[in-house]
């Protein structure tokens, strides 16, 4: 199964991707996580991406497309879930080229109001050691500032401040919202009200993906019996 999660920064893409990956055995490909990993390792890509990320802008398409083509090339048969990519129509067109004959099965579009986005992002705390994500109000760790999964010290991402968030939201509407329209014309988009709590959102996602899997299995059986 090949899935794309779209939504503004803070919509809950990373949070729900982790659960999707556990349930369906897919590979999670987060462009933001791969960029942060490159920065932590001080690679050339990490150094080039730094100023764009810190100001809340988008890293140039050519760098992102090369990075994601490599990552997609390493995924196994079971498929993947893309989180944070594609973020421009140019990236979406390049993704079609990367996939060639393989197709995206579904695009889950997480819809969230702007005030909620700002609250979610400024309250987000992340574990730099294992990548787990929490929220100071809605998804608290058991012990303040400590990761439940690995005991690491939770941090606020440098781009999760109110000023930078505003810039990121502007880029979302200008450059990423048209990506939703691109996939809408291909009839791949399933809209989800992601203002709801995380349990409600993941239930909607599982219901949709379970149905999709069932349909795909049926199709395989039909093709065999033809
Ligand atoms: P994205 O990957 O889209 O930027 P995240 O998954 O990191 O967003 O979520 C942003 C913040 O909001 C995190 O702190 C997360 O714990 C919290 N969060 C995610 N989904 C929900 C939800 N449905 N309700 C409340 N808080 C949520
Ligand atoms: P994220 O973790 O998805 O919130 O991404 C963090 C930052 O990484 C973004 O604000 C961008 O600067 C950069 N980034 C991540 N994915 C992309 C992408 N597909 N295209 C351009 N920039 C990206």
């Amino acid at each position: 199964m090949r899935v794309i999660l779209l939504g503004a920064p803070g919509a809950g893409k990373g949070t729900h991707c982790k659960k999707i990956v556990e349930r369906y055995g897919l590979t999670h490909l987060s462009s933001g996580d791969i960029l942060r990993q490159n920065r932590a390792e001080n690679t050339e890509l990490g150094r080039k991406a730094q100023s764009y990320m810190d100001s809340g802008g988008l890293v140039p398409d050519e760098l992102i497309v090369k990075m994601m083509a490599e990552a997609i090339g390493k995924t196994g048969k079971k498929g993947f879930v893309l989180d944070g990519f594609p973020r421009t129509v140019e990236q979406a067109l390049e993704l079609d080229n990367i996939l060639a004959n393989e197709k995206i099965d579904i695009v889950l579009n997480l819809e969230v109001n702007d005030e909620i986005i700002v609250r979610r992002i400024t309250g987000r705390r992340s574990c730099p050691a294992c990548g787990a994500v929490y929220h100071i109000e809605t998804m608290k760790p058991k012990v303040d500032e400590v990761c439940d999964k690995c005991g690491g010290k939770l941090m606020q991402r440098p781009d999760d401040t109110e000023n930078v968030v505003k810039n990121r939201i502007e880029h979302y509407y200008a450059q990423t919202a048209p990506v939703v329209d691109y996939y809408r014309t291909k009839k791949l988009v399933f809209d989800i009200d992601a203002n709801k709590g995380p349990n409600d959102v993941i239930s909607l996602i599982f219901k949709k993906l379970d149905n999709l899997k069932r349909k795909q299995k049926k199709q395989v059986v039909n093709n065999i019996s033809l």
Side-chain angles (χ1 to χ4, degrees):
M1 199 154 46
R2 288 177 287 271
V3 181
I4 299 179
L5 238 76
L6 290 180
K13 300 182 294 295
T15 302
H16 297 105
C17 273
K18 291 195 174 85
K19 301 218 164 110
I20 294 172
V21 163
E22 275 170 26
R23 187 175 175 97
Y24 303 100
L26 308 178
T27 304
H28 180 190
L29 295 177
S30 155
S31 47
D33 284 351
I34 300 174
L35 287 169
R36 280 183 287 278
Q37 183 71 31
N38 272 275
R39 285 184 64 172
E41 290 167 4
N42 195 25
T43 65
E44 194 187 343
L45 170 62
R47 287 192 298 277
K48 282 183 179 162
Q50 191 166 328
S51 60
Y52 300 101
M53 294 173 77
D54 289 346
S55 65
L58 292 187
V59 175
D61 286 338
E62 61 273 18
L63 295 178
I64 294 290
V65 168
K66 184 166 177 278
M67 173 185 98
M68 293 309 287
E70 278 171 22
I72 289 170
K74 288 183 199 151
T75 57
K77 263 191 175 166
K78 280 199 158 177
F80 53 75
V81 49
L82 295 176
D83 160 8
F85 173 84
R87 245 181 171 97
T88 63
V89 172
E90 185 58 36
Q91 291 179 17
L93 292 167
E94 291 289 350
L95 176 60
D96 289 344
N97 291 334
I98 293 167
L99 293 177
N101 294 329
E102 295 177 334
K103 293 277 171 274
I104 293 296
D105 294 299
I106 192 160
V107 176
L108 303 171
N109 179 36
L110 302 183
E111 297 185 298
V112 186
N113 301 333
D114 288 356
E115 321 86 74
I116 295 189
I117 291 176
V118 174
R119 279 224 301 279
R120 284 201 187 155
I121 293 196
T122 52
R124 171 162 57 191
R125 297 294 180 270
S126 314
C127 176
C130 74
V133 174
Y134 302 85
H135 191 278
I136 53 170
E137 288 163 358
T138 60
M139 299 177 80
K140 291 181 184 178
K142 291 190 185 101
V143 179
D144 261 3
E145 296 180 27
V146 178
C147 178
D148 291 351
K149 294 196 175 114
C150 76
K153 174 147 176 52
L154 300 183
M155 310 281 279
Q156 183 172 30
R157 273 170 45 181
D159 57 343
D160 275 353
T161 56
E162 205 160 335
N163 270 347
V164 181
V165 167
K166 288 200 176 120
N167 205 9
R168 289 164 68 194
I169 294 176
E170 273 174 28
H171 280 284
Y172 171 76
Y173 285 116
Q175 285 161 287
T176 311
V179 176
V180 183
D181 298 332
Y182 175 77
Y183 288 116
R184 231 183 258 296
T185 59
K186 292 177 174 268
K187 302 208 179 329
L188 286 174
V189 177
F190 180 67
D191 293 310
I192 294 174
D193 177 3
N195 295 302
K196 296 180 176 172
N199 292 339
D200 288 337
V201 175
I202 201 63
S203 300
L204 287 170
I205 292 177
F206 284 169
K207 201 170 157 197
K208 187 70 188 170
L209 294 184
D210 284 354
N211 265 335
L212 183 71
K213 260 193 101 174
R214 224 174 288 129
K215 270 192 200 153
Q216 287 181 335
K217 251 192 200 158
K218 237 186 188 170
Q219 225 163 10
V220 171
V221 172
N222 285 346
N223 287 347
I224 290 171
S225 53
L226 275 179

